[in-house]
């Protein structure tokens, strides 16, 4: 099969990590795979090297100073649409609402559902659910949301995790003891709750480290609120920003605990990577995260709960339940299930035509 996987960015966000790992696993199975994406901010490639068996079509997308979020969304769709060549592929698989809007007919992975206030983004989100002819979700909880909201039955294919990369990462003591969060400072990541939890933790020997943060959206107002609240609480987290691909496993493996207070997730790939690294995880008590992590992580619903569970997680953690869970999710298995799904929907479409 000639397969096109479409993403909206070259930056290290969860959906982009998923796209590249899936593409490489499909190529390893012998499939002809091309990844299409927009090169934002002058990028000439992805945030990490990509298996040469995967073809890359990286469409230039220069910055436009003063552009609003809505304008950026519409321009993103238009630029990718004008460059993409759907006739070259047997399967077109979009991984986000921007790339799904840039093509007329596609398979769509719905990683998680959001409620957007920007009109252009809300419309993009809606079209990217109703227009694709077939749907995949990375968890049963998100599939249930899609069914309830739109009457669409999605096939559940969980993420994989690069287990060996994180399980074999070298620990470092250079940063001292710290709680790690990955994903930057933004509303969906529950950053304000994490800040409150860290203040309640009240352990001067434990620092809060926040990595990541590449995003299409403008969270400057939220970041300002977060910084103001940090000053009020008298805490100074270590905000790293984007971390190099090769440095992330060691940063993860060296943490005393991994905090995952997201308010919306489809699977929780970063938390699964932390478990692979042998790090205890405390995550928000959401149906999707109960589905994925129950028995291998601790759960909390508010800052006080996060502080309590983080404190407990850092006392004599047993890494084996988490490692055992992470070992179950392989990209090879995910690719095999995707390939079977592509074949089944292709047969279904042919029979209808």
């Amino acid at each position: 099969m000639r397969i096109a996987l479409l993403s909206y960015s070259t930056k290290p966000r969860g959906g982009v990590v998923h796209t590249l790992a899936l593409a490489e696993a499909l190529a390893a199975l012998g499939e002809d795979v091309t990844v299409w994406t927009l090169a934002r901010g002058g990028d000439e490639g992805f945030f990490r090297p990509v298996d040469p068996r995967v073809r890359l079509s990286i469409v230039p997308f220069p910055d436009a100073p003063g552009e609003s979020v809505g304008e950026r969304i519409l321009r993103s769709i238009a630029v990718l649409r004008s460059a993409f060549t759907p006739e070259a592929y047997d399967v077109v698989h979009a991984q986000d609402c921007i790339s799904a809007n840039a093509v007329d007919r596609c398979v769509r992975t719905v990683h998680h559902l959001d409620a957007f206030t920007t009109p252009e983004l809300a419309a993009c989100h809606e079209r990217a659910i109703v227009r694709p002819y077939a749907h995949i979700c990375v968890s049963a909880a998100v599939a249930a949301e899609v069914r309830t909201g739109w009457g669409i039955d999605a096939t559940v294919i969980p993420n994989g995790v690069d287990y060996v990369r994180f399980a074999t990462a070298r620990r470092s003591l250079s940063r001292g003891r710290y709680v790690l969060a990955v994903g930057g400072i933004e509303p969906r990541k529950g950053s304000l709750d994490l800040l409150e939890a860290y203040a309640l933790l009240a352990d001067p020997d434990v620092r809060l480290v926040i990595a990541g943060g590449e995003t299409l959206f403008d969270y400057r107002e939220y970041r300002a609120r977060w910084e103001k609240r940090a000053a009020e609480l008298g805490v100074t987290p270590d905000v790293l920003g984007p971390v190099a691909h090769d440095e992330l496993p060691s940063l993860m493996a060296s943490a005393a605990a991994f905090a995952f207070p997201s308010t919306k997730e489809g699977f929780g790939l970063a938390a699964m990577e932390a478990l692979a690294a042998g790090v205890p995880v405390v995550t928000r008590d959401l149906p999707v995260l109960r589905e994925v992590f129950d028995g291998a992580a601790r759960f909390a619903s508010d800052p006080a709960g996060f502080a309590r569970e983080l404190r407990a997680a850092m006392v004599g953690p047993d890494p084996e339940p988490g490692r055992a869970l992470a070992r179950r999710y392989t990209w090879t298995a995910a690719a095999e299930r995707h390939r079977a799904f592509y074949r089944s929907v292709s047969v279904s479409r042919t029979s209808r035509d």
Side-chain angles (χ1 to χ4, degrees):
M1 278 184 292
R2 298 166 301 166
I3 302 165
L5 298 182
L6 282 74
S7 184
Y8 74 100
S9 177
T10 53
K11 308 294 187 183
R13 296 293 286 187
V16 182
V17 172
H18 172 105
T19 303
L20 294 183
L22 175 60
E24 290 171 329
L26 285 165
L29 294 176
E31 301 299 337
D32 183 345
V33 185
T34 303
V35 174
W36 284 78
T37 195
L38 296 172
R40 302 180 184 279
D43 283 353
E44 296 182 356
F46 280 99
F47 66 94
R48 68 164 177 84
V50 180
D51 187 323
R53 289 175 292 186
V54 175
R55 293 187 177 91
L56 300 179
S57 288
I58 299 175
V59 182
F61 190 82
D63 291 337
E67 188 176 48
S68 69
V69 171
E71 290 168 339
R72 194 178 309 126
I73 295 297
L74 294 178
R75 185 165 66 95
S76 298
I77 294 168
V79 169
L80 186 56
R81 173 179 281 273
S82 65
F84 183 58
T85 55
E87 67 280 358
Y89 304 101
D90 303 307
V91 175
V92 174
H93 185 174
Q95 297 289 333
D96 52 76
C97 77
I98 288 173
S99 60
N101 275 259
V103 296
D104 290 318
R105 298 287 286 167
C106 65
V107 173
R108 165 78 199 283
T109 292
V110 182
H111 290 273
H112 67 270
L113 295 170
D114 274 313
F116 293 110
T117 56
T118 302
E120 296 88 347
L121 192 51
C124 172
H125 183 265
E126 180 70 15
R127 288 193 302 268
I129 293 175
V130 300
R131 286 175 56 184
Y133 66 86
H135 300 74
I136 295 170
C137 290
V138 293
S139 61
V142 175
E145 290 183 70
V146 172
R147 186 180 307 110
T148 299
W150 290 270
I152 293 170
D153 288 323
T155 296
V156 177
I157 304 178
N159 272 315
V161 63
D162 192 346
Y163 178 81
V164 173
R165 178 170 172 251
F166 288 91
T168 60
R170 297 185 63 179
R171 293 176 58 85
S172 170
L173 301 178
S174 62
R175 289 186 179 274
R177 253 179 134 228
Y178 59 90
V179 170
L180 177 66
V182 172
I185 298 169
E186 58 183 75
R188 185 173 71 85
K189 295 301 180 181
S191 304
L192 278 168
D193 276 359
L194 179 57
L195 193 63
E196 300 282 350
Y198 177 59
L200 291 171
L201 191 61
D203 186 337
D205 294 325
V206 177
R207 295 163 48 246
L208 174 60
V209 175
I210 300 175
E214 289 287 359
T215 179
L216 179 66
F217 308 114
D218 184 356
Y219 293 126
R220 283 176 293 185
E221 182 180 344
Y222 185 86
R223 176 68 177 264
R225 286 171 54 205
W226 186 90
E227 290 174 346
K228 181 174 183 289
R229 186 57 180 152
E232 292 169 349
L233 293 168
V235 297
T236 309
D238 189 354
V239 182
L240 304 181
V243 173
H245 178 72
D246 291 341
E247 296 173 9
L248 181 60
S250 178
L251 180 70
M252 191 84 81
S254 303
F258 186 84
F260 200 60
S262 296
T263 60
K264 283 280 187 181
E265 287 291 342
F267 179 83
L269 182 55
M272 192 65 74
E273 291 169 342
L275 292 180
V279 175
V281 168
V282 180
T283 186
R284 192 176 294 271
D285 198 351
L286 302 176
V288 61
L289 299 178
R290 281 281 180 182
E291 172 194 338
V292 176
F293 294 103
D294 207 8
R298 293 175 176 269
F299 297 88
S301 300
D302 56 23
F306 269 97
R308 182 180 61 251
E309 296 300 328
L310 284 167
R311 191 177 295 113
M314 290 187 284
V315 179
D318 177 5
E320 286 313 308
R323 289 190 189 275
L325 177 66
R327 279 194 295 267
R328 287 169 41 193
Y329 292 100
T330 71
W331 284 112
T332 298
E336 289 172 343
R337 293 185 62 182
H338 275 83
R339 181 166 65 175
F341 178 81
Y342 297 153
R343 289 171 175 165
S344 70
V345 295
S346 295
V347 169
S348 176
R349 290 190 73 201
T350 301
S351 64
R352 288 198 306 270
D353 295 344

